[in-house]
Amino acid sequence: MVIMRRLAVLRHDLPASLVVFLVAVPLSLGIALASGAPVVAGLIAAVVGGIVAGALGGSALQVSGPAAGLTVVMAETIQTFGWAVTCAITVAAGAVQILLGVSRVARAALAISPAIVHGMLAGIGVTIVLGQVHVVLGGKPQSSAPANLAELPAQIVARHDAATAIGLLVIAILLVWPRLPQALRRVPGPLAAITVATGVSVLAGLTLPRVELPADLLNIRFAPQLPGGGWGAFAVAVLTIAVIASVESLLSAVAVDRLHTGPRADLNRELIGQGAANMVSGALGGLPVTGVIVRSSTNVAAGAKSRAAAVLHGVWVLVFVVALAGVIQDIPLAALAGLLVHVGVKLVNPGHLKTVLAHGDLPVYLLTLAGVVVFDLLTGVLAGIALSLVLMLRRTLWSGMHAEPDGEVWHVVVEGVLTFLSVPRLSRVLATVPAGARVRLDLVVDYLDHAAFESLQTWQHAHEAAGGTVAVDEIGHPWFANGKEGRPTRSRRAGTGFVPRWLAPWSAWQAAELPAQPTHRGAAEFQRRTAPLVRDTLSGLADGQRPRTLFITCGDSRIVPNLITTSGPGDLFTIRNIGNLVPPGQADASMNASIEYAVGVLEVSEIVVCGHSSCGAMAALASGPPPGPLTEWLTHAAPSARRSAPVTVAGAIPEREGDRLALQNVLQQLDHLREYRLVAEAEQAGRLRLTGMYFDVGQAQVHLHDPATRDFHPADVPARSRG
């Protein structure tokens, strides 16, 4: 087993780690440049992210390192505290991440709206572009995104030197690279762009600002230093980096899980691994580490199978830096700036914008983006969270209401959550109802507070005192059931006996509340609410039917064929009678005509005979039915009572004789069906399948017959054969 795992590393993880390493090196250098950190800090983070987070994290295929998502906040942190204190902040942020992971609250971080995350990334992308485009144009970035934007026109018209040509060359290569032949695209685009630009600058002898590295990379001194004061700002910076790094890592881990079929990520362990990596990276003078979707998706696409690929990629970065430090120092800063402009543009993902727009969260996205660009990352995220909470409250507290005449009756409909915020609008709507009118008040509310209850109660009393009538039709929970008497229903538990609807045309509370006229009420509700939803489906069936199944079952009111088969209009051609009987020898003209029509004209592909527990017909058959029509009808079930071979349901023989008979009866009626010529011919030709079904009413469990075992097995358990 150990040998097999090692072979998997050699076959899959080793090549994948080399591909990811080639992508990671230029990105790590560029992110360090954009953050205003020492360039070597990006490489340290890449090494530590690969080795530590890769070994300790909970996502097998996620690759960690310095991320573009933290560049803005890191630039602000470095400018405010200096590099040594920033390293201490990174260490402390890692400790916070470990505490979050140990506390098992990782999934709570996913509660942040995707619109905020996408807006944050887009804001970071815009900020990176506005800053690095100045470097590409031969200038220097300003202290803020608005300042960069203000200076951009002057920078564009200014004299441009060789740095601009190198930066534009990198951008051009990155844009063209995805359109090149597959053989060339095996080399990562960022690596190719930086290599070509560096080679051109060296061969042309261009004098450009280039990457600077310490003289001795292996002589790493412990960089963290605690601040001399300002502990409040220090704590805010720690929490900011911890939260952003955690959210980005967790979202990346979830996204990576969608790219492969291997083990799912343990998000709490992933936080612990990320925290450990940040503590090590900060201690060694590196940037903060997060899970990075660009590197991770590259890892999956390259065929990685385990965490060994992420660990090895960190090893290759370390070897490269130590062995080829001179090569790194030849890279022009303008080339890295061009790479970052391309990365920043890609962070503004049009696909994310479409998704956010489809979910109605565009304001949250835009506010977060604007906050990040105009102010800072924390302000933008907090603004996005605040707006998302406001929108959530608005949607939660939404109420729709209108009043309109319906013949001689005024129809008033109130939907949603009815609270004190809705009372002014409710009063305006109710005021449109003429005095003395007959009113039907439909309440479809999820919650009714004191103010709204009192408003409805006062209006009802006043309207009836003026000679009008008010019939309250409360659909769902009975918040206003005793409104006229002034007795509110304070909680859902106080409404016991009333259950919510599970299927549009059916609700158990309907019969409980108005047992004298459930059909009338149900028909009226169907016409008002369900008909608009199914009208398109039914219009397609207006000129004919093509059901797939003939469904023969008992007339028992507890059996709802479409419910237990999850089918709809046009799916089932149903025959119901006492005991789900099929008279043998075509003895019943009605049954004979129905079967011939279903098989010969409609050409159904399946016939189901469905019996059920606690069947009154089978109980009568077992005890002897009273004289009369029932006795005559049950003669068709007499062969069922004579069957002797035991039949089981879920591997057991039912205790009640009536239930045992119900099982035998299903099989006997299938035999009777085979006596019908059309049925026999269609089954022999393979055009028709006969299925036995048994519904346990008390357990709400459908069972299907398996001829191979003579057992009725639960429908969600596969059978070896179904006949």
Side-chain angles (χ1 to χ4, degrees), residues 406 409-413 438-442 469 471 473 528:
D406 185 9
V409 179
W410 271 76
H411 189 197
V412 179
V413 179
R438 292 169 53 199
V439 178
R440 185 176 71 236
L441 175 61
D442 278 357
T469 62
D473 187 4
R528 291 195 303 270

Side-chain angles (χ1 to χ4, degrees), residues 290-540:
T290 73
V292 185
I293 189 61
V294 175
R295 302 179 199 189
S296 302
S297 58
T298 302
N299 192 38
V300 174
K305 299 298 181 183
S306 75
R307 64 183 68 251
V311 174
L312 285 173
H313 121 274
V315 173
W316 304 142
V317 174
L318 177 61
V319 171
F320 177 83
V321 171
V322 173
L324 300 173
V327 174
I328 295 176
Q329 291 178 313
D330 286 332
I331 299 175
L333 296 182
L336 295 179
L339 172 62
L340 284 169
V341 168
H342 184 262
V343 170
V345 171
K346 292 187 71 174
L347 286 176
V348 187
N349 190 323
H352 292 163
L353 185 59
K354 291 180 181 178
T355 302
V356 167
L357 182 62
H359 286 276
D361 287 334
L362 183 60
V364 175
Y365 175 91
L366 293 177
L367 181 63
T368 305
L369 187 156
V372 171
V373 173
V374 176
F375 299 102
D376 54 56
L377 189 140
L378 182 59
T379 301
V381 170
L382 291 178
I385 292 174
L387 181 57
S388 67
L389 290 174
V390 170
L391 292 178
M392 178 196 70
L393 287 173
R394 180 178 178 274
R395 292 163 181 165
T396 303
L397 299 177
W398 172 88
S399 57
M401 55 191 74
H402 68 274
E404 59 186 5
D406 185 9
E408 297 180 356
V409 179
W410 271 76
H411 189 197
V412 179
V413 179
V414 181
E415 300 177 279
V417 176
L418 202 57
T419 67
F420 66 95
L421 297 173
S422 306
V423 168
R425 189 154 54 98
L426 176 64
S427 299
R428 288 197 302 271
V429 171
L430 294 177
T432 63
V433 179
R438 292 169 53 199
V439 178
R440 185 176 71 236
L441 175 61
D442 278 357
L443 293 178
V444 193
V445 297
D446 299 310
Y447 177 70
L448 184 71
D449 77 351
H450 183 191
F453 180 94
E454 196 166 277
S455 178
L456 282 173
Q457 180 195 19
T458 302
W459 172 81
Q460 183 178 11
H461 281 299
H463 188 77
E464 292 180 345
T469 62
V470 179
V472 179
D473 187 4
E474 194 162 11
I475 299 171
H477 192 75
W479 297 107
F480 197 66
N482 302 311
K484 192 173 181 180
E485 294 80 12
R487 292 186 287 112
T489 304
R490 291 183 298 175
S491 68
R492 294 188 183 277
R493 286 180 296 178
T496 54
F498 297 89
V499 297
R501 103 177 59 254
W502 298 310
L503 188 66
W506 167 55
S507 55
W509 58 263
Q510 175 180 297
E513 188 174 356
L514 287 177
Q517 50 177 356
T519 302
H520 169 77
R521 180 171 181 173
E525 185 186 346
F526 168 83
Q527 201 58 47
R528 291 195 303 270
R529 309 200 176 283
T530 308
L533 301 177
V534 299
R535 186 171 290 121
D536 289 344
T537 299
L538 291 175
S539 66

